[in-house]
Amino acid sequence: MADTQVAHPRSGQGGLAAKHQTDITFGEYLMEMASIAVQAAMDGERAEALAQGLNKVAETLLEIADDLSDDHNVGPEVTSLITALADQAGDMKQVAQRFASECADAAEAAKLAGSRVAKVYGEDLAAIEDGGLKHASAAAHHA
């Protein structure tokens, strides 16, 4: 099968046969990594705010249960249920905090992936230029 040139090549991939072009350009990859990092950071901030809100809910429920425990018109089963709700809010707070931590890790990983790929890509571009080439050749072509 002959290599055919693409009429509208992807940005930065002009002159390459269609079978050698990628589905994503380097710039698109970097933008995607940046987008992932930003979204993960935003999700982490929201999770941290949720954890703080859940902490307030748990504290308020415990105060209510304490206040009601002295009320002779409220049975102990009611205060037990309110205390159980407070415990569940505390559990949800811990989950939200873990999620916030994982989001921070994901944001950092996306930044790191982008910067490491950019470093290697820059080295590849320098090698291509030093070799006087237009494009790099994949290892599969040398087998």
Side-chain angles (χ1 to χ4, degrees):
M1 181 189 288
D3 288 347
T4 55
Q5 298 297 321
V6 175
H8 301 289
R10 304 259 318 147
S11 177
Q13 297 181 18
L16 287 177
K19 70 178 186 177
H20 295 295
Q21 292 190 15
T22 61
D23 292 333
I24 184 171
T25 65
F26 176 64
E28 290 169 337
Y29 169 80
L30 289 180
M31 291 302 295
E32 185 65 23
M33 288 298 105
S35 177
I36 289 169
V38 168
Q39 187 62 54
M42 289 172 36
D43 289 345
E45 289 173 6
R46 290 176 59 201
E48 190 57 45
L50 177 60
Q52 291 173 6
L54 287 164
N55 188 58
K56 289 179 185 177
V57 167
E59 289 174 352
T60 301
L61 286 170
L62 289 174
E63 288 174 12
I64 291 170
D66 189 49
D67 287 346
L68 291 176
S69 67
D70 293 333
D71 190 329
H72 298 291
N73 293 325
V74 178
E77 62 278 351
V78 173
T79 55
S80 292
L81 289 171
I82 294 171
T83 301
L85 282 174
D87 291 343
Q88 290 173 352
D91 292 345
M92 288 187 289
K93 172 193 164 195
Q94 290 177 343
V95 170
Q97 287 175 321
R98 280 194 307 270
F99 182 75
S101 177
E102 293 296 328
C103 285
D105 290 348
E108 190 58 36
K111 288 188 248 180
L112 184 61
S115 67
R116 287 194 176 168
V117 168
K119 180 182 181 293
V120 171
Y121 186 74
E123 291 169 356
D124 287 349
L125 288 179
I128 290 168
E129 187 175 318
D130 290 347
L133 304 171
K134 281 181 71 176
H135 305 286
S137 181
H141 293 288
H142 302 290

